[in-house]
Structures are given as structure tokens and as C-alpha cells.
């Protein structure tokens, strides 16, 4: 594609880098092979876009990019760029330099052009909120696929297209990656794309230029506030709310105290509200907790734009709200109640309160809860089912906040009946040092606990010692299939670990 075509939606100025009498590079004829934002990945014929991030600035590496074969640069900082290029002594005869006000926005708009606007070729659903995005996105996927759609997902657990999936570093990847994945979805025959959109992604313009058919707001509580994130709660709320400005239709939780700040009448999008409030367009009139051997979930009764009773194979009030959001989306696709019911009854998300059947005597679940807020929410949810005991098995990540360890220890000590302290991703820290920090919080409570640093042995102990009616929670790993130790990721999928343990225990007569 020519550079002229790539920058067709940008406001820009071509920087003169040639000597007097020389003609500038002709962007109408300059063919671009690919787009890169990492100078180490640049190849001959690429366009290099200089992104100034929290830890590094692409403008510092323009010489590296040109040396590697970049034929064009898109920049914000002209002075730094020219200084680096002059210092390098490289030949700039065939180089085009494009100056814009915002290279993050430029990356989004250029990526759209490069992949020929894939978001215009597929129905799209975007979800934002502090909690519930992942579960709700997979509920939507499950329902729409039951109705005959082919659905792709982008989010915390990676991207999913049919049986294909791949891990992503960020919940919402950079705009080039988003457009690349959307293009893959189109090529693979998907007719719906479901995407988690974080507040950080909105602030960094990763979804700029995309018009979503439907935007969903799940809930909001303080999170991602601090250095290199949001300066305060108002900033966090503001950026969340900007999602609806690029949506045709908004679906929002009317029971959340931030509802009025998230949605505004007359902003160019239609609004469908959900919740237990009498004014909700999709209203939940009853939530019933369901528990049976190896299964806990909720039944809900709905009125409004969708009417009926629905069983969800995921526990707690938050699951009811996730289901309401998904059902509201389904109503926009005219999905019938039978398809919704079948999808939700058999629904599960890998690593999100995921039940793993090992016995009829107790319930074993895997969940990604890896901070105090998510742990507290889950433990309170499980308490509502009146189990014999709640057994909480968890660790904390290395090279992360010690405060998180203190808090998680205290929460588990207060809310669980028994805690098993073990390894998580220790990274470059000693697992025993991490557990010692967790103990600081644990000792503020009267909670009973034991320490088993080897996570496989800890899981085996939890299963062997489980009592009738217990709910055993394996927390922190969730969907992850590895354990990171000293910079190396070792295979560690808790489902496989459990299967191996059960083979061993059944030989000993375990039931």
C-alpha cells in the first residue's frame, strides 16, 4: 500500500529532510510493506510509527528503524527526530517523515487503512467495566453461537476465533493488533466481534476510529489508579465513559452508581439499561441461588425487553448481572429465549469460577482472583451458598506490590474457613518470602491456615482433606497454563494438575 493511502485520514505535514534543490520523497509512490512500532522488528520497506510510552520513546530509536530498512516515519517530536537522524549519519534520500500531533491516534487510523477497515465488515460489541468483562464477553459468544453466528473475541484471555486462540499482553492490544485480529476474523468468516475495552485502551486511543455497533458497561469501582494509569477516580470514570461516544447503541447497568456519569441522553447513541431498578429496560425481578453436587449457579427472572426464567452455570449476584448484559446484547440480535437458556445453562469461562468435577462430596473451583478486591467479592459470593467450609488456596505474584499480599492474606483469613498458602508466579522472588508477606495479613485474623509452597502438593492436600459440603477454591492462576519462576514459564495448567492428582488418588480408593 502507498504511504499516501495509509495516511489518508490523518492531518499531517511532511517534514523536509533533504538538501536544498533535492525533491522530497513522493508519498504517492512510496510503497509500504508493513507498520511497526518496535524498532527491533522493523524490516525493509516498513513504516515506523514513533510512540512515546511510559517507559520508552520511539523517537529515540528512529535511526535504528531507518538502519533496519524503514522507508517512512510518523512522528510527534520533530526536533528529537531530526537530531537523532543527523547524529546517525545515515543516508535519508528515500525516507519520508510525516509529522502529526498524536502518533497514538495516527497508529489507529493508519492501521485501519492498512487492513482496509475491517470493523466495517463485521458486527461489533465492545465491553467496558471494572469487573465482568471477560465472563460477559464469553456469555455473549456462547449465546450468539448457539443462535448460528460465528463470533470472535478479543480480551484478557487473548483472542479467540473458532478453535484458534492466542495470548495477548494487554486486555485491549495496540490498535495495529486490534485491526489485524479483526481482519483475521473477517477472513475466517466471523460475523460478530466481541472485544473487552479497558479504560487504558480508551485513554491511549487503541480503539480510535472504530465505530462499535454495541457498547456495554458492566460496573465500575476504583481500579487502575496510580502512576502510569489514571490520576484519580474521576479520570478513570471519564475514560470509561468515552467508549459510548464511538458506539451506535449503549447497554448499561442502571444499578451502578456511576450509571449517570457513563451514559448521557442525546449523545448520538441509543440506550438499553439493565438491572433490578424498576426503570430498567431489562429488569431482573428475582435472583435465586442454586447449589447441587459439583455445581453452583443462579436462576434469574427477567421482565422488559426479554422475559423469562434463565439458569446460569456460574455463581453469585455478579453472574446474574453479567447474564443480564449478555441477554441485552442478544436481544439486539433477535436471539430467541430457548437459545439463550441453552447457552447460559452450559456456559463456563476458563478460569472464572470454573467448576472442575472431582467428587460428589464437595465442589472444586478454579478462579483468576489475584487481588484483594476480586478475592473478597468471590468469597462473599460463595458464602451465600452456605457451604460446610470455604477452603481458599492461593499465593501472590512475585515482583508485585507487597500490600496486595497483606490484603489477600487478611481477606482470606477473615472470609475463608481454611486457607492454604502456596506459590503463584513467584517470578524473581523466593516463594517463601512471598508467603511470609501473606502471613502478615493472615495473622491479623483468627483464620486457620497451612503453608505448602509447592502448588501441586497444595492442590493435592486440598482435595484429599476436603470435607462433605465444602467448596474448595483454587485462586490466582485461573486461565493461565504456566508458572513463572526465575524468568522461565513452566507448563502448569491446574486442570491437568488436578487430572494427574485424581489418577493417583483414585488408585488409593478416593471418592
Amino acid at each position: 500500500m502507498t504511504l499516501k493511502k495509509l495516511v489518508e485520514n490523518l492531518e499531517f505535514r511532511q517534514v523536509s529532510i533533504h538538501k536544498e534543490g533535492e525533491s522530497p520523497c513522493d508519498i504517492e509512490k512510496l510503497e509500504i510493506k508493513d507498520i511497526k512500532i518496535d524498532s527491533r522488528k522493523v524490516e525493509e520497506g516498513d513504516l515506523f510509527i514513533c510512540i512515546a510510552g511510559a517507559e520508552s520513546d520511539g523517537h529515540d530509536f528512529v535511526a535504528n528503524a531507518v538502519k533496519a530498512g524503514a522507508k517512512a516515519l510518523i512522528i510527534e517530536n520533530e526536533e528529537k527526530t531530526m537530531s537523532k537522524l543527523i547524529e546517525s549519519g545515515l543516508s535519508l534520500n528515500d525516507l519520508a517523515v510525516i509529522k502529526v500531533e498524536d502518533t497514538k491516534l495516527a497508529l489507529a487510523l493508519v492501521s485501519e487503512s492498512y487492513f482496509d477497515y475491517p470493523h466495517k465488515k463485521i458486527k461489533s460489541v465492545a465491553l467496558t467495566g471494572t469487573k465482568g468483562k471477560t465472563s460477559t464477553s464469553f456469555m455473549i459468544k456462547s449465546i450468539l453461537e448457539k443462535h448460528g453466528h460465528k463470533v470472535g473475541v478479543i480480551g484478557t484471555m487473548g483472542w479467540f476465533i473458532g478453535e484458534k486462540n492466542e495470548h495477548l499482553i494487554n486486555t485491549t492490544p495496540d490498535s495495529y493488533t486490534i485491526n489485524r485480529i479483526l481482519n483475521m476474523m473477517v477472513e475466517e468468516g466471523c460475523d460478530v466481534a466481541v472485544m473487552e475495552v479497558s479504560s487504558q485502551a480508551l485513554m491511549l486511543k487503541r480503539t480510535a476510529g472504530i465505530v462499535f455497533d454495541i457498547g456495554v458497561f458492566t460496573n465500575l469501582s476504583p481500579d487502575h489508579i496510580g502512576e502510569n494509569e489514571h490520576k484519580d477516580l474521576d479520570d478513570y470514570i471519564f475514560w470509561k465513559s468515552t467508549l459510548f461516544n464511538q458506539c451506535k447503541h449503549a447497554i448499561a447497568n442502571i444499578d451502578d452508581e456511576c450509571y449517570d456519569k457513563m451514559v448521557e441522553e442525546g449523545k448520538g447513541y441509543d440506550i438499553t439499561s439493565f438491572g433490578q431498578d424498576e426503570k430498567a429496560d431489562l429488569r431482573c425481578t428475582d435472583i435465586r441461588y442454586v447449589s447441587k453436587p459439583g455445581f453452583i449457579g443462579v436462576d434469574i427472572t427477567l421482565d422488559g425487553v426479554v422475559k423469562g426464567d434463565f439458569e446460569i452455570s456460574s455463581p453469585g449476584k455478579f453472574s446474574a448481572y453479567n447474564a443480564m448484559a449478555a441477554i441485552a446484547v442478544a436481544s439486539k440480535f433477535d436471539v430467541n429465549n430457548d437459545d439463550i437458556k441453552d447457552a447460559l445453562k452450559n456456559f463456563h469461562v476458563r478460569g472464572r469460577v470454573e467448576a472442575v468435577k472431582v467428587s460428589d462430596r464437595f465442589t472444586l473451583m478454579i478462579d483468576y482472583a489475584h487481588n484483594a478486591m476480586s478475592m473478597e467479592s468471590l468469597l462473599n459470593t460463595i458464602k451465600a451458598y452456605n457451604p460446610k467450609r470455604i477452603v481458599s488456596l492461593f499465593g501472590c505474584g512475585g515482583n508485585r506490590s507487597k500490600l496486595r499480599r497483606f490484603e489477600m492474606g487478611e481477606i482470606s483469613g477473615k472470609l475463608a474457613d481454611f486457607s492454604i498458602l502456596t506459590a503463584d508466579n513467584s517470578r524473581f522472588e523466593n516463594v517463601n518470602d512471598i508467603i511470609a508477606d501473606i502471613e502478615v495479613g493472615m495473622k491479623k485474623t483468627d483464620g486457620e491456615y497451612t503453608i505448602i509452597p509447592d502448588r501441586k502438593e497444595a492442590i493435592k492436600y486440598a482435595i484429599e482433606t476436603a470435607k462433605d459440603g465444602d467448596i474448595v477454591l483454587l485462586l490466582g492462576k485461573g486461565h493461565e497454563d504456566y508458572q513463572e519462576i526465575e524468568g522461565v514459564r513452566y507448563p502448569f495448567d491446574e486442570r491437568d494438575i488436578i487430572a494427574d492428582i485424581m489418577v493417583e488418588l483414585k488408585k488409593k480408593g478416593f471418592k
Side-chain angles (χ1 to χ4, degrees):
M1 187 174 290
T2 66
L3 182 57
K4 177 70 173 179
K5 175 67 175 174
L6 284 176
V7 300
E8 63 183 358
N9 295 317
L10 300 186
E11 292 185 10
F12 68 91
R13 173 174 59 82
Q14 186 172 356
V15 177
S16 176
I17 60 171
H18 297 86
K19 296 176 182 177
E20 189 174 343
E22 291 182 342
S23 299
C25 186
D26 188 351
I27 66 172
E28 292 192 14
K29 295 180 180 178
L30 181 60
E31 293 282 343
I32 296 297
K33 177 185 173 186
D34 204 348
I35 302 163
K36 302 287 170 58
I37 57 174
D38 185 337
S39 63
R40 295 166 296 184
K41 297 180 180 179
V42 170
E43 297 178 359
E44 186 69 31
D46 285 349
L47 163 64
F48 178 62
I49 302 182
C50 301
I51 304 293
E55 297 179 359
S56 63
D57 184 349
H59 296 85
D60 290 325
F61 305 101
V62 288
N64 294 357
V66 174
K67 190 174 182 179
K71 294 300 181 186
L73 307 174
I74 294 183
I75 65 167
E76 283 179 22
N77 190 327
E78 184 175 346
E79 183 178 350
K80 180 185 280 191
T81 300
M82 295 310 298
S83 174
K84 294 291 181 182
L85 290 176
I86 292 169
E87 284 177 14
S88 72
L90 293 167
S91 171
L92 307 178
N93 291 339
D94 299 321
L95 182 70
V97 180
I98 302 295
K99 166 73 169 65
V100 297
E101 290 299 314
D102 186 341
T103 51
K104 295 182 182 72
L105 176 60
L107 174 63
L109 300 182
V110 167
S111 296
E112 276 193 303
S113 297
Y114 183 74
F115 289 104
D116 194 25
Y117 306 95
H119 71 90
K120 295 182 179 180
K121 304 172 185 177
I122 193 169
K123 291 287 185 182
S124 55
V125 181
L127 299 98
T128 200
T130 305
K131 294 176 288 188
K133 296 187 296 296
T134 299
S135 294
T136 305
S137 66
F138 279 91
M139 281 185 180
I140 294 168
K141 180 178 187 290
S142 182
I143 292 170
L144 294 184
E145 287 184 338
K146 186 70 180 177
H147 194 60
H149 294 278
K150 184 169 183 179
V151 183
V153 173
I154 303 173
T156 303
M157 293 171 61
W159 62 257
F160 294 78
I161 303 173
E163 297 301 314
K164 300 177 182 178
N165 68 84
E166 186 176 288
H167 175 70
L168 294 168
I169 295 173
N170 297 310
T171 294
T172 314
D174 65 78
S175 49
Y176 175 89
T177 303
I178 289 173
N179 281 280
R180 177 178 64 82
I181 296 169
L182 289 176
N183 188 58
M184 286 169 53
M185 290 179 182
V186 172
E187 291 179 343
E188 291 286 337
C190 294
D191 60 333
V192 182
V194 180
M195 185 190 309
E196 296 180 48
V197 180
S198 67
S199 56
Q200 282 284 95
L202 290 162
M203 184 172 67
L204 297 174
K205 301 180 176 64
R206 290 178 187 159
T207 60
I210 298 175
V211 177
F212 295 103
D213 292 283
I214 299 171
V216 180
F217 165 60
T218 58
N219 53 66
L220 198 145
S221 54
D223 198 11
H224 299 292
I225 296 168
E227 188 177 359
N228 297 330
E229 293 189 283
H230 297 286
K231 61 183 180 181
D232 53 33
L233 181 59
D234 286 341
D235 189 60
Y236 180 54
I237 294 170
F238 168 77
W239 285 108
K240 286 283 187 193
S241 70
T242 61
L243 173 66
F244 289 149
N245 295 336
Q246 57 189 101
C247 297
K248 297 176 184 176
H249 192 95
I251 291 174
N253 178 1
I254 197 171
D255 295 337
D256 192 277
E257 62 182 21
C258 293
Y259 173 83
D260 289 335
K261 293 182 179 180
M262 285 294 300
V263 301
E264 292 184 53
E265 301 288 347
K267 283 293 290 282
Y269 50 80
D270 299 319
I271 304 168
T272 297
S273 60
F274 67 87
Q276 294 183 285
D277 190 292
E278 289 188 356
K279 299 190 293 292
D281 299 306
L282 177 66
R283 185 163 65 94
C284 183
T285 59
D286 193 20
I287 300 175
R288 301 170 295 279
Y289 287 18
V290 180
S291 180
K292 43 196 169 186
F295 173 89
I296 57 175
V298 288
D299 281 346
I300 59 175
T301 299
L302 298 181
D303 196 8
V305 295
V306 177
K307 297 177 172 65
D309 295 325
F310 301 86
E311 182 179 270
I312 302 110
S313 58
S314 182
K317 190 174 182 180
F318 63 83
S319 294
Y321 274 81
N322 293 344
M324 279 188 269
I327 291 169
V329 171
S331 72
K332 302 303 176 187
F333 287 86
D334 296 321
V335 181
N336 60 67
N337 275 16
D338 288 341
D339 284 345
I340 295 173
K341 289 179 179 180
D342 286 348
L344 291 178
K345 191 171 184 178
N346 299 296
F347 159 84
H348 78 273
V349 178
R350 180 179 171 87
R352 298 303 197 275
V353 281
E354 176 188 353
V356 180
K357 184 69 177 292
V358 297
S359 173
D360 287 333
R361 296 188 298 105
F362 62 92
T363 301
L364 178 67
M365 308 190 84
I366 296 172
D367 191 80
Y368 187 52
H370 60 290
N371 57 41
M373 181 173 64
S374 55
M375 175 185 268
E376 183 174 22
S377 174
L378 178 60
L379 293 179
N380 279 324
T381 292
I382 298 302
K383 270 187 175 295
Y385 287 84
N386 298 312
K388 179 76 173 178
R389 295 186 309 163
I390 297 175
V391 178
S392 167
L393 180 152
F394 70 101
C396 288
N399 305 106
R400 297 293 187 271
S401 168
K402 285 195 174 188
L403 179 61
R404 175 181 289 187
R405 302 170 193 177
F406 306 151
E407 290 174 341
M408 289 182 70
E410 187 171 357
I411 292 295
S412 189
K414 287 179 178 178
L415 298 179
D417 297 287
F418 187 72
S419 301
I420 303 172
L421 312 187
T422 188
D424 198 302
N425 295 320
S426 56
R427 299 186 176 90
F428 292 96
E429 284 193 74
N430 185 292
V431 66
N432 293 307
D433 293 339
I434 296 171
I435 291 173
D437 288 335
I438 298 172
E439 274 195 287
V440 172
M442 186 69 67
K443 288 178 178 177
K444 292 181 180 180
T445 75
D446 297 324
E448 295 183 25
Y449 69 96
T450 190
I451 295 172
I452 306 176
D454 184 299
R455 194 169 178 106
K456 180 175 181 178
E457 289 302 313
I459 294 171
K460 181 181 178 183
Y461 175 83
I463 294 172
E464 282 185 304
T465 59
K467 300 176 181 179
D468 292 1
D470 282 356
I471 295 179
V472 179
L473 302 171
L474 311 185
L475 304 177
K477 298 298 293 174
H479 60 278
E480 294 178 350
D481 58 3
Y482 62 87
Q483 203 167 22
E484 187 176 341
I485 304 169
E486 294 293 334
V488 179
R489 289 189 173 187
Y490 297 93
F492 195 95
D493 186 319
E494 289 190 323
R495 295 144 206 81
D496 296 337
I497 299 296
I498 293 166
D500 290 344
I501 290 169
M502 293 311 298
V503 169
E504 181 182 341
L505 292 181
K506 284 180 179 178
K507 288 178 181 177
K508 299 178 181 179
F510 178 87
K511 293 183 180 179

